[in-house]
Amino acid sequence: MASRKTSILEASARVIARRGVRGLRVEELAAEAGVSTALIYYHFKDRTGILRQTLEFISDRAGRYTAAREAGAPPPGPREELEQALLLELQDVDEVRENSTAWGELRASAVFDDSLREDLARATLVWVQEIAELLGRVRPMTPAPELAAAAERLTALLEGLSMRWLSGTLPLAHARTLLGDAITTELERLGR
């Protein structure tokens, strides 16, 4: 059974995905999580705390579902691990849809909220560094700045493809194909 705090964070991700950051009301969050508003303030202090910890929660949750393997499956090779880390962000699963939508809402709100902008920049940097590390496993002789630039391009493309898919302007299969092609292109570029 999930802890109360985890239940609140799950509810927060749902509310943000459904209503946006501006639509997040503590009373609605409490109702969604089945807790009192006092408990929310106990765990998170204020609305900014809720947003910061929800951002961490969705980042951690994405890390779990993009690294998941079937029991007994052999560990993936470096390229398969890279592809999995990126392509599993594009799957028609409620948790992924919710995460991607909430991430997009948080990113859009950061345009107007300096404190959220800093947290989002930090979370994005961590993600880019993780992808750069995976790229480095596939192309170990590549200089770090080139790996970082490739990771930046791939993660930015993924965010754009995700928003197009979620908004219904791009079929999921096509988004996954475009991302797969971009991975191949970046690896070829790094291999030169």
Side-chain angles (χ1 to χ4, degrees):
M1 176 178 225
S3 72
R4 288 277 192 197
K5 187 173 181 179
T6 301
S7 296
I8 295 168
L9 290 168
E10 289 170 345
S12 180
R14 280 192 305 274
V15 171
I16 291 170
R18 189 172 56 237
R19 299 178 58 76
V21 171
R22 290 184 177 171
L24 178 66
R25 304 285 179 259
V26 175
E27 297 76 18
E28 183 181 353
L29 175 56
E32 181 81 20
V35 300
S36 68
T37 57
L39 186 62
I40 290 174
Y41 286 117
Y42 170 78
H43 283 295
F44 303 100
K45 185 179 172 188
D46 57 19
R47 189 171 185 278
T48 301
I50 296 167
L51 294 175
R52 283 183 172 146
Q53 290 192 42
T54 301
L55 179 60
E56 287 178 30
F57 172 78
I58 63 175
S59 293
D60 291 345
R61 185 164 68 171
R64 284 192 302 276
Y65 64 68
T66 58
R69 288 193 334 233
E70 290 185 29
R79 179 163 180 155
E80 291 78 21
E81 189 175 6
L82 170 68
E83 289 172 341
Q84 180 176 334
L86 292 168
L87 289 169
L88 288 181
E89 289 282 0
L90 294 171
Q91 53 179 323
D92 197 7
V93 175
D94 289 342
E95 184 177 58
V96 175
R97 284 178 162 275
E98 183 180 281
N99 247 32
S100 295
T101 303
W103 179 268
E105 291 293 334
L106 287 160
R107 180 168 297 291
S109 292
V111 171
F112 305 102
D113 184 339
D114 289 342
S115 64
L116 189 55
R117 188 177 305 155
E118 292 170 14
D119 294 326
L120 193 61
R122 196 169 19 263
T124 301
L125 179 61
V126 167
W127 186 30
V128 169
Q129 289 171 337
E130 289 170 355
I131 298 304
E133 181 183 327
L134 292 172
L135 286 163
R137 290 183 197 160
V138 180
R139 296 283 188 243
M141 301 307 290
T142 305
E146 290 180 35
L147 295 171
E152 192 79 53
R153 285 188 294 272
L154 287 170
T155 56
L157 174 64
L158 176 53
E159 286 178 338
L161 291 172
S162 180
M163 287 300 108
R164 286 186 181 190
W165 159 58
L166 290 166
S167 67
T169 59
L170 186 67
L172 177 59
H174 188 56
R176 289 178 62 88
T177 298
L178 291 172
L179 183 57
D181 291 347
I183 293 168
T184 299
T185 299
E186 289 295 340
L187 289 173
E188 287 172 359
R189 170 189 253 165
L190 293 174
R192 293 183 198 146

